[in-house]
């Protein structure tokens, strides 16, 4: 999906996903690791406010990815958020 | 001893039967008691070892619109000629035709117990949907590749028609049926694995026993220059949909995606949204759908001026057992819309 979206639109697409190797295999170009499969952008054991702060940091990482030029598949690991 | 001549019924669509193009795609099934169109080439290659005793045809739209009925009608027509084997197509990359050939293969296999040989381009959906019911020779995308397909199709048809054992896809030149056949290997698995590893380390050729699917690549798009003016869309395969799942997106093997408005929505709250994904524990996503579809923080970032705008709609499907072909189809349609809408970037959270 990610790859086809990028092919059709020509705009950067960032994949937020937990199983990074799958994302690499299917060909996503910008990848941001997620927390866990059932809650990629959440951490239910955190208090709600802290959880939202974490979510915002992941989204900011994704936004950083779409403003970063890449030549090949890139996993945006830094900064480590959890 | 002279071998018995193999009796063959050939299934083709209205176009290859010479009845007409798209305007005749709604013709119901019929029979011509001789080889027609590509059947002439097949008959030529069969020589006197086999005979196409009848050609059964059906319009592609008729077949697609009346799937159950058309299958029955076609099977009844084929039954009358008591064939040893049925050849369907080849359908190349014609989707409806390939699907019809596959459906014929399934019905003939199940109802008549007769083997079916076909030929398709690997991406023809008919192959993926019905491959276990037929020996499907790999063809090119267009009918111009018929000549190359005839040989392997005829060879398989004669073998299957005589009830001879059909070998592996590599030996016989058909595409895998997705069926696992047990047999005793002379070497145990551990030794075979180590042999492969050693060959790989030595840079020698080796043949995997579990081929991985091949994915093509798309060059990375240039980055967004000014985030504060960018319209950003959310697309997810994590199954977040409006409560009640109005489009009835399937929990697995999704056949569709949904497009939903985010106007006046500041957060993906559990009273309005839920997950319809069948491939993960939905507890956390249902408790707070923002954990999959981060509408709450996207709105905050929009208010803070970090991004220009969150796109008015989000798109969702379920990426659980969903075929690559379907995922690509959804993404193609979604991509077209997002392009027309002028979005500058897309965030795809997946589960």
């Amino acid at each position: 999906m990610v790859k086809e979206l990028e092919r059709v639109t020509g705009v950067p697409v960032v994949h937020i996903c937990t199983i990074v190797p799958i994302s690499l295999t299917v060909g996503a170009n910008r990848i941001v690791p997620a927390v866990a499969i059932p809650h990629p952008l959440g951490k239910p054991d955190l208090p709600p406010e802290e959880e939202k702060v974490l979510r915002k940091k992941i989204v900011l990482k994704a936004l950083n990815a779409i403003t970063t030029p890449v030549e090949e598949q890139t996993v945006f690991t830094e900064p480590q958020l959890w | 001893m002279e071998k018995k001549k193999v009796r063959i019924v050939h299934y083709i669509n209205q176009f290859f039967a010479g009845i007409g193009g798209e305007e005749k795609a709604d013709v119901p099934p019929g029979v011509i008691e001789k080889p027609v169109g590509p059947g002439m080439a097949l008959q030529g290659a069969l020589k006197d070892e086999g005979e196409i005793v009848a050609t059964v045809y059906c319009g592609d739209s008729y077949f697609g619109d009346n799937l159950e009925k058309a299958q029955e009608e076609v099977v009844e027509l084929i039954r009358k000629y008591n064939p040893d084997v049925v050849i369907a197509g080849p359908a190349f990359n014609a989707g409806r035709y390939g699907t019809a050939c596959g459906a014929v293969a399934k019905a003939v296999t199940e109802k008549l117990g007769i083997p079916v040989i076909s030929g398709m381009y690997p991406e023809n959906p008919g192959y993926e949907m019905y491959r276990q019911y037929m020996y499907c020779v790999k063809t090119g995308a267009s009918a111009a590749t018929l000549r190359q397909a005839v040989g392997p199709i005829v060879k398989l048809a004669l073998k299957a028609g005589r009830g001879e054992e059909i070998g592996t896809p590599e030996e016989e030149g058909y595409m895998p049926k997705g069926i696992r056949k047990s047999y005793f290997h002379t070497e145990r698995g551990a030794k075979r694995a180590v042999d492969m590893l050693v060959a790989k380390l030595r840079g020698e050729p080796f043949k995997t026993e579990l081929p991985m699917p091949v994915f093509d690549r798309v060059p990375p798009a240039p980055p967004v220059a000014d985030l504060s003016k960018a319209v950003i869309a959310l697309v997810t395969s994590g199954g977040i949909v409006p409560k009640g799942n109005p489009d009835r997106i399937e929990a697995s093997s999704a056949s569709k995606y949904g497009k939903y408005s985010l106007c006046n929505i500041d957060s993906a709250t559990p009273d309005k949204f839920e997950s319809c994904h069948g491939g993960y524990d939905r507890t956390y996503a249902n408790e707070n759908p923002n954990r999959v579809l981060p509408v709450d923080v996207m709105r905050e970032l929009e208010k803070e001026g970090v991004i220009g705008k969150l796109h008015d709609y989000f798109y969702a499907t379920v990426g659980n057992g969903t075929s690559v072909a379907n995922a690509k189809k959804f993404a193609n349609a979604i991509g077209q819309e997002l392009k027309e809408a002028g979005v500058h970037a897309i965030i795809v959270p997946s589960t």
Side-chain angles (χ1 to χ4, degrees):
Chain A
M1 265 193 112
V2 179
K3 189 174 56 184
E4 182 69 4
L5 283 171
E6 187 148 321
R7 194 184 66 77
V8 173
T9 59
V11 304
V13 180
V14 55
H15 192 199
I16 303 181
C17 74
T18 305
I19 313 175
V20 172
I22 293 187
S23 184
L24 285 167
T25 307
V26 300
N29 287 322
R30 291 173 168 89
I31 302 166
V32 168
V35 180
I37 292 173
H39 44 84
L41 288 129
K43 212 164 184 299
D45 53 354
L46 291 178
E49 272 316 302
E50 283 180 42
E51 191 190 8
K52 194 171 168 186
V53 169
L54 171 65
R55 176 154 54 249
K56 197 164 177 177
K57 284 181 180 165
I58 300 171
V59 169
L60 282 167
K61 214 159 138 180
L63 294 173
N64 173 49
I66 60 178
T67 52
T68 306
V70 303
E71 293 297 322
E72 55 184 14
Q73 290 191 295
T74 307
V75 183
F76 292 79
T77 45
E78 298 302 320
Q80 287 282 343
L81 296 177
W82 62 88
Chain B
M1 195 185 90
E2 201 184 330
K3 278 182 180 164
K4 177 181 159 274
K5 210 172 196 181
V6 174
R7 286 176 68 82
I8 299 166
V9 172
H10 188 204
Y11 174 82
I12 53 178
N13 70 1
Q14 87 287 347
F15 174 74
F16 286 102
I19 290 167
E22 212 44 55
E23 77 289 354
K24 293 283 184 191
D26 55 356
V27 298
V31 180
I32 305 165
E33 289 188 333
K34 60 175 183 184
V36 179
M40 315 273 271
L42 293 170
Q43 186 60 64
L46 285 162
K47 304 203 178 84
D48 53 4
E49 292 186 68
E51 185 184 358
I52 296 177
V53 291
T55 302
V56 174
Y57 62 83
C58 179
D60 283 336
S61 294
Y62 180 93
F63 204 106
D65 295 344
N66 311 278
L67 205 54
E68 292 292 319
K69 192 169 158 230
Q71 276 179 50
E72 270 175 42
E73 289 169 346
V74 168
V75 164
E76 285 319 305
L77 291 174
I78 292 173
R79 189 197 298 271
K80 280 188 207 157
Y81 293 92
N82 193 28
D84 301 311
V85 61
V86 170
I87 298 177
F92 309 101
N93 199 23
R96 277 178 315 170
Y97 186 23
T99 309
C101 286
V104 167
K106 178 171 190 270
V108 166
T109 304
E110 288 179 346
K111 293 187 180 144
L112 305 180
I114 299 169
V116 180
I117 317 296
S118 187
M120 293 181 202
Y121 186 61
E123 285 177 16
N124 191 318
Y127 166 63
E128 186 171 305
M129 288 162 76
Y130 295 105
R131 60 183 183 167
Q132 75 255 46
Y133 303 104
M134 58 193 173
Y135 295 99
C136 192
V137 169
K138 180 178 170 179
T139 72
S142 87
T145 60
L146 173 66
R147 211 159 50 89
Q148 294 94 298
V150 165
I153 288 178
V154 162
K155 203 174 134 220
L156 277 164
L158 289 173
K159 267 194 145 174
R162 291 177 186 138
E164 291 171 14
E165 177 119 1
I166 307 273
T168 62
E170 293 82 20
E171 288 163 13
E172 307 280 357
Y174 61 92
M175 298 188 284
K177 296 175 80 174
I179 288 174
R180 217 174 270 191
K181 218 171 163 179
S182 300
Y183 72 102
F184 285 102
H185 201 287
T186 48
E187 306 273 19
R188 77 187 73 162
K191 177 161 190 311
R192 303 205 303 276
V194 172
D195 285 347
M196 272 191 261
L197 179 63
V198 170
K200 182 172 182 170
L201 291 172
R202 285 190 180 142
E204 291 168 359
F206 65 94
K207 198 169 139 272
T208 176
E209 294 178 18
L210 191 69
M212 291 289 142
V214 183
F215 299 98
D216 56 344
R217 297 282 176 227
V218 170
V224 169
D226 186 354
L227 210 50
S228 68
K229 292 195 176 71
V231 179
I232 296 173
L234 290 175
V235 176
T236 186
S237 59
I240 301 299
V241 292
K243 199 136 193 175
N245 189 9
D247 292 321
R248 316 301 296 159
I249 297 175
E250 299 88 342
S252 74
S253 303
S255 67
K256 57 194 146 191
Y257 65 88
K259 175 188 182 181
Y260 306 109
S261 174
L262 285 174
C263 289
N264 304 315
I265 291 173
D266 283 330
S267 173
T269 49
D271 57 319
K272 294 197 189 78
F273 296 93
E274 65 179 355
S275 169
C276 67
H277 198 295
Y280 64 87
D281 178 356
R282 285 180 280 219
T283 313
Y284 309 107
N286 285 338
E287 223 168 64
N288 182 359
N290 290 296
R291 286 169 175 157
V292 179
L293 191 79
V295 178
D296 58 351
V297 300
M298 287 298 282
R299 284 291 183 220
E300 270 187 26
L301 292 164
E302 184 183 62
K303 282 195 191 98
E304 291 164 10
V306 176
I307 63 166
K309 184 174 158 36
L310 172 61
H311 186 52
D312 288 336
Y313 296 91
F314 77 95
Y315 294 80
T317 188
V318 167
N320 177 30
T322 304
S323 69
V324 174
N326 264 353
K328 192 172 173 180
K329 195 174 76 185
F330 303 160
N332 186 287
I334 295 168
Q336 302 282 1
E337 283 198 22
L338 290 177
K339 193 178 179 184
E340 276 164 35
V343 308
H344 300 100
I346 304 166
I347 297 179
V348 182
S350 70
T351 47

